[in-house]
Structure formats: structure tokens, C-alpha cells
Amino acid sequence: MSGLISEEAVSQVLAGTDIVQLIGRYLPLKPAGRHYKALCPFHNEKTPSFTVNPERQIFHCFGCGEGGDAIGFLMKQEHLNFPEAIRSLADRAGISLPARLRAHAGSETGQSERARLGILEIHKTAADFFRHQLQHQTVGATARGYLKNRGIPDSTIEQFGLGYAAASWDGLLRHLVRKGFSKKQVEEAGLALPRKDGSGAYDRFRNRLMIPISDSTGQVIAFGGRVLDDSLPKYMNSPETPIYKKGAHLFGLHLAASAIRDRGSAVVVEGYFDLIALHVHGMQHTVAVLGTALTAQQIALLRRYASRAVLVFDPDPAGIAAARRCVESLLNSGLDWRVILLPDGEDPDRFLRNRGPSAFADALTQSKDLMEFLLDRKVSGFDLTSPEGQAEAVNAVLPLLGAVDNEITRQRYMEKLARRVSLSNDAIVRELNLHVKGHRRDTMPLTLQPKGLPSIEWKLVHLALHHSGAASRVRESVRPEELEDQTLRKIFQHAIMGPETGRRAISLTMVEPEAQRVLTRLLATDLGEYDGEEAIEQALSDYLTRITVRREREKGEQLRRQMEVAERAGDHATVAHLQAQFLALSRDRPHASGQYHRTSR
């Protein structure tokens, strides 16, 4: 698809986008010299290694290796394709794009994109319809009475866009068809179901209070529907569609993001009305998990905004089971987790109505960390007052600790476990070592394996990218094919020798992924290791000499092989000619120490 987009359009979009502003909408960036830093949104980490370079308009994570420009960030962060990211950035910057980008007819990607946009528009239209139904004097009277009885004010109804689906079999479907959508589109959006006899379709949601589910940008992508009486099922949710994946979103995040950023923490609840009740009582930093156990995707969403989170679970067996299912992913999430188990029979909504917001605030302050939660008798079932119960608790918890990637986090939890079961920390460590022996290096992601020292080729390309004088000398002295590292060779051709050099910026997404990661690392690493121009000049001469030594050595090896072939053939004239070339090459070869020979590759 990138071939349909002109360089001029890409350049215009990149020039009109401030990458610091863009990424700052998703991550709490902190100044670090001339750059900005944050915890990486693409892998779990405790110490920020995600860097944004405003001069180069790039980002790079020195932990997992992800990197790119504004287009690449939006593609990774919002799971967009190239045209979607270009259009989104253009819209934000107020840039009008050529029609050929907005309507790429006949393309499979274009058809998929048009379908996605159509489903988004259907959901927006449906949300408006449901809101009007709720406000209708007679149609929405019962639903409005229900909300009033739950203590939900008009301002909150408007804030969350709450609506009502009437008891009509096809009221929404007929409305959407009148608005220009086809029956097939409405079915693909999950808002209508085909009749079994093939005679048509009917609304999925009928006689339900409608709760729009939005993505992090506030676009409606799905609905939850609650009955107004005791009929079952109590809740009905949209199915998965091209714009909605169960477990990939957090209900209320678009409304809570600002408050979460300000506090640095989030409250996570299970239900729609639990969240709405907390927002009504001033706890705007609350999100909900949409009826699933907390998923890795939802945790990654939270990490964009917070460093700490409090999980609020119902105290019934189902709530405790849901909490235990997600513990391992929480331990490795990079977030500081706390857990609240409310009194028996009370979810957050009922707790607030019965006891008030001050009691809930007190409960937040008394939350337990994950280890305390795991060892709570209500959760673990173990009696920690007996030696047998202590041993059983340790054996149950150790496999979870063995899965913790971060050494410091694992040590902290081991100490808590030792204190809780009245055992020495050394004993816990010995038992844990039996679980993790041989495990750490085998399971470490490839991108997080220890990295070797930069090669001479890496340093040469690095200098050329950051220093114009070095770039000129490198272009004059080195040919791309002389670089043995295939990725660095591509970067050399693209960024130093390529036709785009000195012209408008071309999106890094045009470069293949591995080259993009290495290029952003090169660009994000400044020249801090060099102490001034003299040091840069000396280092550059050193690097070029090593490349020349390698080139001449390889040429000498080639001449030697040619002489051997000529000798076997009895071609003495060719042997003499090649020997003369070899002697001349040896005389002219630059001086280099044995160390240079060993490290040149």
C-alpha cells in the first residue's frame, strides 16, 4: 500500500507531526537531556529504556529494540496499517491528502479498510440512536427510571453515552438501513442477527439499557446491553468484529486516561456499573475489564498511563478465581499491583451505595500487594499457622515466583513470602533455585539477550549518520558491499549512499523491520562517547583504516587463491603477474596492529 502514497504526501505528514506530542498522548514522557524517556509500551520493564528523539523525530527502545518514526509508532500502538496511520496523522495535523490515498479501489487492503471504517460509522450511528431512544418521553421512561434508582445522574448518562434499545425486533436495523447501511453491514458489525429461515434479520439488542464501549481514542467499537428486570442473560455484549477484540480494550479508558496519568495509578473493576458508580463518586481513574479475566493486552494498555494499579474483585469464588487466573501476568507486568477483596456479598457499586465513597477510599488504602493476596487464607486455602500449611503455601507460590522475569521484583516477593510463612529467606531461595535452574536464559526473549560490543562497521555507520564531515569521508572511502553485516549494509545504502540523502525524510516504515530497529538505535545513540572533534577525527581514521586493512587482506587472499590455481595449471606467466600484484599490495597495505586484525570483523 505504501507504493500508492507519494513521497511528498509522506514527507508532508511527517513534517506536520511532532513525535513528542504524538507519543506524549499515550505515554508519560519525561525529559532526559535532549531526549525524552518513558517505560516502553511494547515490552515489560521497570527502568525506562524507551527514548524519543525530537531532533531526529524518532523513537527507539534500548530494551526490546523497537523503533521508528511517528508513522511507525502509530502503526504499532494502534495496530493500524500504513495508509490508516498516514490518514490518522494527516487528520490530526489538518493536512489534506490526495484522493488516491483515501480511495484505493480494487485493493484487498483498501476493501478491508473501507469495511472497518464502515463498521465504526455504524457504531457511531447506533450509539446516537440508542441515546435518542433513552431520552424519548415514552420509549425510554422505564430505562431512565432504572438509572435514577441506581443513583446515576444525567451528567454521567451523557458522559458515558448511555442509551436504550427498545423491545422492537428490528428498530435499530430499520434505522441503520434508512441511514444508508446495508443489512449485511449491520450483521458484520454484530448489531443484527440473520433469521434461521433466511427471511431477514433482527436486532441483537432488544429491551436493554445500552452501554457504548469505546477504544482509547473515544470511538465507539462495541456495546454492552443490560436487562431492566431479572431475565437472563443479565448482560449481552457485542461479538468480536474487525474493530473489537474481546480482552483487547478497557471500558472507560478514554474517560479515565487523564486522571490515571495525573495520579500515576488506576483502579480496575469488573463491571460496567461498578465503574460508572466510582466515576459518579469522583474516582475518575477507574477502568473495567469487560467481563474477562485481566488480559496481557489490557495490562499493556494500563502501562501506557500508570505505574501502579489496584484490582477490585468480588469476594465470591468466581471473583477470587478470576483474580488468581491473572496473577502470573500481573507479576511480570512492570506495574505495582495491589488487590482489594470487598466484604462478602458486596461489589463496588453496592459497597458505594451502602457505605459511601469515604469507606471505599479507606478500602483502597488497605489494599494488599500481590504476595499478601496470594497468601490470604480466603484465596490460598492454606493455614499459615501450621507447618504443613506453610509448606503447602510455599510450594504453591514458588512456581509463580519462578516465572517472574525481573530479578529485583522476584527478590522482593521472596522476602515477603519468607516473612509471611516464618521461614528464612535462604531457604526460600534454595527452593526457588530448583524451579528456575536452567530456565532463565532459555526463556529470555531473543531481543533482550545481552548485546555484544558495537562492531567497527556499526561505529562507522553511526558516525556517518551523526556527523556530516564523517559522512562525506565514509561515502568516498567505503563501498556498501564491503560491509559484512547485511542489515548495516542496507542502512548504509538507504541512509548514507541512497538517493534520498539530503532530500525530504522518507518514513522509516519503508525500511524492513530489522533494518528499522538497527537504524533507530543508531540514530537514538548520540556521539557522547567522543570527546570533541579531535576524538571524532581520530576514531574515524581508525575505523576507516580497519576497513581498508580488511579490504586489502581479503584482496590478498583472493590473489593467493588465484596463484594456487595458476600453479596447478602450470601457467607460470600468470603466477609471476599475480605475485607482483601481491608484493605491491603488501607494500601499500596500511599499518594496523594485530588487535585491529582480530576485531575488524
Side-chain angles (χ1 to χ4, degrees):
M1 283 308 303
S2 59
L4 296 174
I5 305 170
S6 68
E7 291 181 10
E8 288 78 12
V10 174
S11 177
Q12 189 180 10
V13 168
L14 287 174
T17 302
D18 180 348
I19 195 168
V20 176
Q21 249 181 17
L22 172 71
I23 296 179
R25 295 173 182 172
Y26 296 91
L27 305 176
L29 294 175
K30 295 181 179 178
R34 293 180 294 119
H35 302 159
Y36 292 84
K37 282 195 168 184
L39 291 173
C40 179
F42 306 122
H43 83 285
N44 293 332
E45 62 179 5
K46 277 284 191 180
T47 304
S49 57
F50 182 89
T51 300
V52 182
N53 185 325
E55 295 172 20
R56 296 280 187 171
Q57 288 291 297
I58 61 161
F59 72 91
H60 181 81
C61 176
F62 287 91
C64 68
E66 288 288 358
D69 53 22
I71 299 170
F73 179 83
L74 203 60
M75 289 173 67
K76 292 180 176 73
Q77 187 73 9
E78 296 289 354
H79 306 291
L80 305 179
N81 60 35
F82 189 84
E84 289 172 345
I86 288 281
R87 183 176 52 250
S88 177
L89 290 175
D91 290 343
R92 294 178 195 218
I95 296 171
S96 178
L97 290 174
R100 63 175 173 167
L101 173 58
R102 293 194 172 269
H104 20 273
S107 158
E108 182 179 341
T109 305
Q111 291 170 358
S112 173
E113 166 62 357
R114 286 196 300 278
R116 179 180 176 276
L117 291 174
I119 293 175
L120 277 171
E121 190 61 32
I122 286 173
H123 277 78
K124 180 178 182 298
T125 306
D128 290 339
F129 176 77
F130 291 140
R131 280 198 299 272
H132 288 132
Q133 292 278 90
L134 179 64
Q135 298 306 322
H136 191 278
Q137 185 174 2
T138 54
V139 173
T142 303
R144 290 197 307 275
Y146 174 86
L147 291 170
K148 184 177 181 180
N149 288 337
R150 295 198 70 147
I152 299 174
D154 291 344
S155 58
T156 302
I157 293 172
E158 183 178 347
Q159 181 187 24
F160 282 88
L162 302 182
Y164 175 63
S168 167
W169 276 98
D170 58 358
L172 174 65
L173 177 60
R174 286 186 284 108
H175 175 76
L176 292 173
V177 170
R178 283 197 301 270
K179 289 291 185 179
F181 301 106
S182 69
K183 179 176 70 68
K184 181 181 178 183
Q185 285 178 302
V186 181
E187 289 179 17
E188 289 174 348
L191 296 175
L193 297 167
R195 296 183 186 277
K196 292 181 180 180
D197 60 7
S199 62
Y202 59 95
D203 293 346
R204 177 183 294 273
F205 299 101
R206 301 181 310 282
N207 194 25
R208 288 178 181 268
L209 185 70
M210 297 303 295
I211 307 157
I213 299 167
S214 299
D215 63 16
S216 59
T217 66
Q219 296 185 103
V220 178
I221 55 174
F223 292 96
R226 193 201 190 284
V227 295
L228 300 177
D229 51 28
D230 296 327
S231 58
L232 296 175
K234 181 189 293 186
Y235 283 97
M236 179 181 289
N237 297 315
S238 291
E240 291 198 351
T241 68
I243 64 172
Y244 174 67
K245 303 299 177 190
K246 187 177 181 181
H249 304 276
L250 287 164
F251 176 59
L253 180 60
H254 65 298
L255 298 174
S258 177
I260 292 173
R261 277 202 191 99
D262 291 344
R263 290 172 174 258
S265 66
V267 175
V268 183
V269 296
E270 294 183 276
Y272 299 113
F273 281 97
D274 292 335
L275 177 140
I276 291 172
L278 284 166
H279 275 249
V280 168
H281 288 92
M283 298 180 195
Q284 278 82 17
H285 60 306
T286 306
V287 293
V289 294
L290 291 167
T292 66
L294 194 63
T295 67
Q297 290 168 292
Q298 290 169 332
I299 292 171
L301 271 178
L302 278 176
R303 287 182 61 253
R304 299 179 190 174
Y305 306 93
S307 57
R308 182 174 182 170
V310 182
L311 281 170
V312 183
F313 285 106
D314 291 353
D316 57 24
I320 292 174
R324 296 195 65 172
R325 281 198 301 273
C326 64
V327 161
E328 186 170 337
S329 58
L330 299 183
L331 288 169
N332 277 317
S333 68
L335 284 168
D336 177 17
W337 287 98
R338 310 284 299 180
V339 182
I340 295 176
L341 282 178
L342 294 174
D344 288 343
E346 292 192 328
D347 56 27
D349 181 27
R350 188 174 292 108
F351 185 98
L352 283 164
R353 280 187 278 165
N354 293 342
R355 308 187 187 212
S358 60
F360 192 87
D362 290 342
L364 287 178
T365 63
Q366 296 169 22
S367 60
K368 299 179 178 182
D369 76 3
L370 277 179
M371 185 54 61
E372 290 178 292
F373 166 75
L374 286 171
L375 296 173
D376 187 301
R377 186 168 185 177
K378 186 183 293 185
V379 176
S380 69
F382 301 127
D383 179 8
L384 298 185
T385 62
S386 70
E388 295 80 9
Q390 291 172 342
E392 289 175 342
V394 170
N395 289 333
V397 171
L398 280 181
L400 289 174
L401 294 187
V404 176
D405 295 328
N406 186 279
E407 187 80 28
I408 296 172
T409 302
R410 192 168 67 252
Q411 181 64 35
R412 180 163 58 87
Y413 281 123
M414 281 194 295
E415 291 170 356
K416 286 180 177 291
L417 175 60
R419 286 197 301 270
R420 190 72 175 82
V421 298
S422 303
L423 291 174
S424 72
N425 196 48
D426 290 343
I428 299 292
V429 170
R430 283 195 300 272
E431 287 298 315
L432 182 60
N433 285 338
L434 296 176
H435 287 279
V436 300
K437 186 178 181 181
H439 174 76
R440 304 300 302 162
R441 182 166 298 276
D442 292 342
T443 60
M444 189 183 296
L446 182 62
T447 54
L448 298 181
Q449 293 281 4
K451 298 178 176 65
L453 294 174
S455 67
I456 294 304
E457 292 183 356
W458 196 96
K459 291 186 174 185
L460 190 70
V461 174
H462 178 233
L463 260 184
L465 287 171
H466 286 269
H467 193 283
S468 57
S472 299
R473 285 185 59 187
V474 169
R475 280 194 292 269
E476 293 169 0
S477 307
V478 181
R479 299 186 303 274
E481 59 269 21
E482 290 183 291
L483 299 187
E484 295 179 345
D485 187 299
Q486 297 294 321
T487 300
L488 288 171
R489 182 185 297 179
K490 290 170 184 173
I491 291 171
F492 190 94
Q493 292 170 318
H494 169 82
I496 298 173
M497 301 292 289
E500 287 84 15
T501 303
R503 293 170 55 190
R504 62 174 64 89
I506 299 303
S507 174
L508 291 176
T509 52
M510 303 291 193
V511 184
E512 65 181 51
E514 179 57 26
Q516 183 175 320
R517 283 190 287 271
V518 176
L519 177 55
T520 55
R521 185 180 183 90
L522 285 159
L523 293 172
T525 306
D526 59 25
L527 297 179
E529 67 175 291
Y530 304 104
D531 187 15
E533 289 292 324
E534 186 176 339
I536 290 176
E537 171 62 30
Q538 183 177 347
L540 179 61
S541 297
D542 181 15
Y543 304 154
L544 289 174
T545 297
R546 297 187 189 205
I547 295 293
T548 303
V549 166
R550 188 172 74 186
R551 177 197 306 143
E552 299 301 337
R553 185 172 65 246
E554 290 172 352
K555 187 174 181 181
E557 290 297 324
Q558 183 181 15
L559 288 171
R560 195 190 307 277
R561 288 193 297 271
Q562 289 174 343
M563 282 189 285
E564 290 174 354
V565 172
E567 284 176 349
R568 287 197 296 270
D571 187 348
H572 303 296
T574 298
V575 171
H577 177 67
L578 292 172
Q579 283 178 334
Q581 288 185 31
F582 186 84
L583 290 172
L585 179 66
S586 300
R587 286 195 303 268
D588 296 338
R589 179 177 295 167
H591 172 73
S593 69
Q595 181 186 9
Y596 288 3
H597 286 271
R598 287 195 302 272
T599 62
S600 62
R601 292 178 187 271

